[in-house]
Amino acid sequence: MVVANPEFDAPDEIRDELLDAAASVFAEKGYDGTRIQEVVRRAGLSTGAVYGRFTSKDEMLREAVITRSVPHALRLPDDVHRVADLVERIVTRTTPELREQEALLLEAYVAARRHPEIAEAIYEANRRWREAAGPFVDAALADGTLGEGVDGQSVLFLVRVLRLGLLLHRASGMPEPDAKSWSDLVVRVVACLGDADRPGGAIT
C-alpha cells in the first residue's frame, strides 16, 4: 500500500514541469519506452533537474501516474445537473482518439502487470479519486441516482472499469456500436441503480 508523501504537495514548478513531461512521454511511449533524456528535453530542462527531485525514473513515473492519470478534484460541469448525467457522460465516450490523460492511464495499467511500483501508483491514484468522489456519492444518494442499499463504492468501481474497458476498445481502433444505442443502454443501466420513487431517481 502506498502512503502519500507530504513532500509531493510542496510547491515546486520545476517538479511539476517534469511530471507533466513524464506523463506526456509515458502516454506516448509506454513505461519501458520512457527515457529520462526525453522527459527533460520535453520539459526544456537538464538531467540534473530530475536527480535533484527524484531518485530514479521509476520514482518519477510513479508520481506522474499518481498525480496525472486520474482527476483528484471533481466537479459537475456547468451543463450537468445530476450525478447520473455525469456517469452517463463518463462511460459513453467512444471517440477513438485518446486524450493524453487517458493514454497515460491505459499505459499505466499495461505496465502494472510487470512493474509493482506502477501497480502501487495506480492504487494510490484510485484511492485519491475515490476520496474526491465522496461528495458525488452523497449527491447521488440525495438526487436519487443511487437507491437505498446500493453501495456507492461499488458504483464508483463499476464506472472505473467501464471507463477502462472503453479506453482499451478505443485504443484498439475496433468499431463501436451505434452511439445512441450505447448511450440509451447506459442510461437504462444507471436508472437501475436509482430510486424510482424519488425525484431524479428515474432517468428518462
Side-chain angles (χ1 to χ4, degrees):
M1 177 177 177
V2 177
V3 178
N5 187 336
E7 181 184 46
F8 292 158
D9 298 325
D12 186 336
E13 290 184 5
I14 293 179
R15 185 187 185 93
D16 285 340
E17 290 173 6
L18 286 169
L19 289 173
D20 287 341
S24 178
V25 177
F26 193 166
E28 181 181 321
K29 301 181 181 297
Y31 180 86
D32 293 322
T34 298
R35 300 288 181 267
I36 286 180
Q37 291 79 3
E38 175 63 16
V39 172
V40 296
R41 185 195 67 76
R42 198 163 296 193
L45 299 167
S46 67
T47 305
V50 174
Y51 293 111
R53 291 164 175 83
F54 303 98
T55 59
S56 65
K57 180 187 88 168
D58 290 346
E59 182 188 5
M60 180 173 61
L61 293 184
R62 172 184 170 277
E63 183 61 14
V65 170
I66 290 174
T67 60
R68 269 65 176 171
S69 65
V70 297
H72 298 148
L74 304 176
R75 69 176 184 86
L76 289 175
D78 293 339
D79 60 338
V80 171
H81 304 292
R82 293 183 306 151
V83 174
D85 302 324
L86 181 63
V87 172
E88 180 188 351
R89 174 177 293 190
I90 290 172
V91 299
T92 55
R93 185 182 181 91
T94 57
T95 55
E97 299 81 11
L98 298 185
R99 294 173 294 180
E100 185 173 277
Q101 184 186 62
E102 294 174 324
L104 171 62
L105 182 62
L106 184 56
E107 291 291 345
Y109 268 91
V110 171
R113 183 166 175 254
R114 290 186 173 87
H115 300 279
E117 65 275 14
I118 298 301
E120 291 177 355
I122 292 173
Y123 177 93
E124 175 63 15
N126 283 330
R127 185 196 67 77
R128 296 187 189 187
W129 182 81
R130 290 194 305 271
E131 188 175 88
F136 282 71
V137 174
D138 294 339
L141 291 169
D143 70 16
T145 299
L146 294 184
E148 184 178 352
V150 177
D151 179 60
Q153 290 302 314
S154 294
V155 172
L156 292 178
F157 180 75
L158 175 64
V159 171
R160 197 162 71 245
V161 296
L162 281 173
R163 181 175 181 235
L164 183 60
L166 277 174
L167 290 182
L168 285 167
H169 180 84
R170 289 164 59 199
S172 73
M174 292 190 295
E176 70 279 351
D178 174 72
K180 185 179 185 306
S181 297
W182 171 247
S183 179
D184 289 345
L185 175 62
V186 170
V187 169
R188 292 171 73 94
V189 170
V190 173
C192 292
L193 303 174
D195 185 347
D197 296 329
R198 298 168 62 190
I203 303 173
T204 58

